[in-house]
Amino acid sequence: MSFKNITLPSGSYLCSYRQLDIGNKRIDPLLHASCYYALFNKCIDVGNYEAYYDLFPVHFRKDAAILPSADEVTYQPYNIDWIKYPAINYIIGWNINNRDNDKLFFLYSTVKNFKNLTIWKRKRFKDTLT
C-alpha cells in the first residue's frame, strides 16, 4: 500500500508487473492492490481479469485501447512487448530485476521508488528517441 497516496491522472491505464511467480496461490496482493487503486482513483487496471472474460458482468469498453491479454498481465508481464500497448501510462512494479528494469526504462521513467515497489510513467514518444 506504499503507493496509495500517489495520485495518477483519472483515466490512466495502469498495469501491475512483478517478477516473482505466484504459482497457484489464490490471492496475489499486488494485483489486488492495483485493482483497488484503479477503482478508487478512476483509473483503468489492465490486470482486471473480470473485464476480459464473459463470465463476469464487468467489461472493458469496446472502444478501449488495445491491451495485452489477461494471461500475459497476470502470469508473464516480463514477456509483454510494451511498444505494442501505448495506452498503458503507468506500471506498478514489485521486486523487478535489473534486466526488466532496463527493458522498461526505454519507454518508462521512474515516478516513485519505495523498498521493493517502483512506479513508472510512460515517456512521451519524442523522449524515447533520445
Side-chain angles (χ1 to χ4, degrees):
M1 296 309 294
S2 300
F3 66 94
K4 69 179 181 182
N5 294 325
I6 294 177
T7 304
L8 303 180
S10 179
S12 296
Y13 284 75
L14 60 102
C15 185
S16 297
Y17 187 117
R18 50 132 178 52
Q19 193 57 39
L20 302 174
D21 182 9
I22 63 164
N24 291 326
K25 292 182 183 175
R26 298 183 83 127
I27 297 173
D28 182 349
L30 178 62
L31 293 179
H32 283 276
S34 61
C35 189
Y36 281 109
Y37 181 88
L39 179 67
F40 290 118
N41 289 281
K42 298 181 178 147
C43 295
I44 296 111
D45 176 21
V46 174
N48 184 352
Y49 64 91
E50 292 97 338
Y52 280 98
Y53 301 112
D54 292 332
L55 304 171
F56 302 93
V58 175
H59 299 283
F60 287 127
R61 293 186 339 215
K62 293 194 187 311
D63 63 344
I66 297 171
L67 301 172
S69 73
D71 289 337
E72 282 180 297
V73 172
T74 304
Y75 301 111
Q76 298 177 330
Y78 40 85
N79 287 337
I80 294 174
D81 183 359
W82 300 101
I83 292 174
K84 293 181 182 178
Y85 308 106
I88 299 176
N89 313 83
Y90 293 90
I91 295 178
I92 300 168
W94 180 257
N95 260 358
I96 304 303
N97 64 33
N98 287 335
R99 183 197 63 179
D100 290 328
N101 194 31
D102 292 344
K103 180 180 169 184
L104 290 170
F105 186 72
F106 174 70
L107 292 174
Y108 293 85
S109 57
T110 302
V111 172
K112 197 76 172 171
N113 273 321
F114 299 99
K115 291 179 184 175
N116 293 325
L117 178 78
T118 307
I119 300 175
W120 286 280
K121 178 182 179 182
R122 191 170 188 100
K123 297 177 182 177
R124 296 174 297 165
F125 177 72
K126 71 177 191 170
D127 295 337
T128 62
L129 300 176
T130 56

